Every structure is written in structure tokens, then in C-alpha cells.
Amino acid sequence: MDFQYIKVDPQAKKNIALIRLNRPKELNALNLQLMGEIRDALHTLDEDDRVRVIVIAGNERAFAAGADIKEMAGKDAIDMLKADQFSTWDQIRKTRKPLIAAVSGFALGGGCELAMTCDMIVASETARFGQPEIKIGVMPGAGGTQRLARAVGKVRAMEMVLTGKFITAEEALQYGLINRIVPVELYLREALRLAAEIAEMAPLAAQLAKESIRAAFNTGLDEGLRFERKNFYLLFASKDQKEGMQAFVEKRKAQFRGE
Ligand code: CAA
């Protein structure tokens, strides 16, 4: 997996892949190619049985400062329509394995949206989240209005999107946008540690649990409960269910194989 704007380590830690955004001079601004590379890497890692959890990180200064404004500036609506950039995001969203964003520094616009597309967010104390698109005459386009409203509630999302203000890691934690804050030198290590904790669990159960939680944002309660139940029953077809329950009975640690 050789890319121009990202670096991928499929085994950064046992069963954990790491994708690092790598356009440091542009604060990891998300141009079309970079987003396509993330999509392709995630697709490959999702198919790779050795990988159970995927971490996406930037660098200390920036997770990503948003879509590439210089790439977009001269475009008209038909250029945007034809480029259909958000179909890339739709594919990223379909990743079945748990995704953790490790955020330090700026997570703005598309950067904040990319972090929110992940399932969990570990932030450094220097992390800053925002949807500042309004300051450049547009609005969030990669799910910002929808995901932020769901994550932090209407009035906070309104204030962030309508003023473009950045929030601190502390505020993001208080708002329920992120899982935790750690010192800057530890943010990647902590994201990988959390990934390792999840990677110890039964991979199929993790995937179906992820799918079920995501369904909670798209369905009513009755339909969501039906969906959850079917996934629960389905896991009884897995060897890992037998192993997990047998290990409990035998008072030993389960060895999950993703089967
Ligand atoms: N696109 C393109 N280039 C960007 C960029 C972006 N989103 N963000 C930063 N850069 C570039 C800067 O142009 C600069 O390049 P040069 O050195 O060639 O001038 C370099 O990265 C460093 O940035 P700054 O000099 O501006 O650094 P700073 O520390 O003074 O400010 C910042 C940092 C507050 C993040 C500022 O760069 C900024 O406001 N960036 C834009 C944030 C933004 O508006 N994001 C939303 C984009 S639109 C979007 O994302 C739409 C969507 O929903 C998909």
C-alpha cells in the first residue's frame, strides 16, 4: 500500500492498522486524492483478516484542517457535482471494522467530519474541533451538520456551524464529541491502546455491534431493536461465540479468531 498523501502500516500493533495523513505543510488538508487514498486503504484493510481495528491519525499540529480550500476555490457547482467527492466519504463510512480517530491539533471542517466519521475519538489536550466553513462562504458538506447535531445536540451544533468557532478538547469532551483527552505526547499511544483493547474481543461481534450502534442513528427504536436482535442471533453461528462462552465456563481467557 504505497500512497502519496497517507502512510499505512497494516500491522502497527498486533491486529491493528494505522493510517497517518501525511500532508504536513498543508496541515493535512483533505484534497480529493488524499480522500481517495484513505478510501482505498480502508477498503484493503477491511478485507484483511489480520486487521481487527483501524486507527486514523494526523500529526501533532493537525489531524486535518479541512477540505483543500485551494483545490475547491475555483470550482463551480457542476464541477463539484461531477467530482462527486462525497461518494468517497460514503465508502469510508461503510468500513465494517472499528475506526478510531487519534486527534491532535486542528480537526476542522472536513477534518472534524473525518474524525466524526470514525467510531471513537481519542484527543490530545491541544486538539481543536470546528466547522469553520461559514467563514469561507459555505457550510459543512461531508456530514458535519448531521453528525455534529447528533453528537453534541442542536444548540451547540448551531453555534459551532453558524459562527465557525473552534472548541477545545475539554469542551469537546464535555459535549460528548470525543472519548477522552490525553497529554499530547500520548495521544497516538492511547488510541493504539484502545484499539488493542478492542482487538482482543471477538472481531465479528465487534463488527456487528458497530453496525448495530450505527443503526441507532438511522432507524426508529422498533426497527433498531429488530436489527440488533438479528445480529445477536447471527453471532451464535460463529466459532468465537462457542469459544467465548466455553472460556467463561472453563474460567480461562478466550482466544478469538474472527471465525
Ligand atoms: N486547505 C488548503 N490549505 C490549507 C488549509 C485548507 N483547509 N488549511 C491550512 N492550509 C494551508 C495554508 O494555506 C498554509 O499554506 P501556505 O503555507 O502555503 O500558505 C498552511 O496550510 C499552514 O496554514 P496557516 O499558515 O494558515 O497556519 P495557521 O497556524 O496560521 O492557521 C488554521 C491554522 C487556523 C487551521 C488555518 O490554516 C485555517 O483556518 N485553515 C482553514 C480551515 C478551514 O476553513 N477548514 C474548512 C475547509 S472547507 C471544508 O472542509 C468543507 C467540507 O465540509 C468538506
Side-chain angles (χ1 to χ4, degrees):
M1 274 191 279
D2 219 5
F3 295 105
Q4 187 177 355
Y5 294 128
I6 61 173
K7 286 186 180 162
V8 181
D9 182 349
Q11 284 294 305
K13 239 176 146 173
K14 188 165 181 272
N15 298 130
I16 297 162
L18 174 62
I19 298 177
R20 293 208 79 160
L21 280 53
N22 191 30
R23 281 188 88 197
K25 274 201 263 146
E26 294 83 6
L27 305 184
N28 291 331
L30 306 168
N31 62 15
L32 294 180
Q33 185 177 330
L34 190 156
M35 289 310 301
E37 291 181 1
I38 294 179
R39 174 203 54 210
D40 294 346
L42 285 174
H43 180 73
T44 305
L45 296 171
D46 223 20
E47 304 282 302
D48 182 343
D49 279 346
R50 295 170 308 158
V51 176
R52 294 184 176 183
V53 184
I54 303 163
V55 175
I56 302 182
N59 54 50
E60 261 183 41
R61 185 164 177 226
F63 178 71
D68 189 325
I69 298 170
K70 292 167 193 165
E71 187 180 59
M72 285 185 297
K75 292 191 173 165
D76 64 25
I78 300 304
D79 296 330
M80 296 297 280
L81 186 72
K82 280 182 162 170
D84 190 23
Q85 70 191 87
F86 298 123
S87 65
T88 305
W89 290 73
D90 291 338
Q91 284 167 277
I92 290 172
R93 191 163 61 94
K94 290 188 182 134
T95 307
R96 287 168 301 159
K97 293 175 184 170
L99 281 179
I100 300 175
V103 175
S104 181
F106 299 113
L108 305 175
C112 186
E113 290 165 311
L114 180 61
M116 290 192 290
T117 302
C118 295
D119 304 308
M120 283 160 279
I121 303 176
V122 171
S124 89
E125 56 208 353
T126 64
R128 296 290 177 272
F129 298 86
Q131 297 288 161
E133 291 90 343
I134 196 131
K135 293 184 175 169
I136 54 169
V138 287
M139 58 176 274
T145 61
Q146 303 307 298
R147 292 209 176 85
L148 199 61
R150 283 169 170 79
V152 307
K154 182 185 88 171
V155 295
R156 288 164 171 160
M158 284 286 184
E159 188 172 343
M160 285 175 70
V161 171
L162 298 183
T163 68
K165 77 164 191 174
F166 301 167
I167 59 168
T168 62
E170 276 302 333
E171 287 169 305
L173 186 65
Q174 193 198 327
Y175 290 5
L177 182 64
I178 63 175
N179 293 71
R180 68 199 58 162
I181 307 172
V182 291
V184 65
E185 63 277 12
L186 295 181
Y187 81 98
L188 187 55
R189 203 186 305 171
E190 173 58 16
L192 291 167
R193 191 209 58 74
L194 176 59
E197 199 180 322
I198 297 165
E200 293 241 312
M201 306 299 150
L204 293 172
Q207 285 179 34
L208 293 187
K210 163 175 170 162
E211 189 184 42
S212 301
I213 292 172
R214 292 177 64 89
F217 297 96
N218 287 324
T219 57
L221 185 59
D222 281 345
E223 199 186 327
L225 289 172
R226 265 197 304 277
F227 188 79
E228 175 190 83
R229 215 159 286 171
K230 285 190 177 155
N231 277 345
F232 179 71
Y233 296 150
L234 184 56
L235 287 169
F236 283 75
S238 70
K239 290 185 183 149
D240 282 348
Q241 173 266 330
K242 304 285 176 291
E243 163 63 9
M245 294 192 180
Q246 195 59 36
F248 175 82
V249 172
E250 293 169 7
K251 299 188 187 301
R252 61 174 172 82
K253 190 173 177 334
Q255 297 298 326
F256 294 121
R257 303 216 310 263
E259 293 172 356

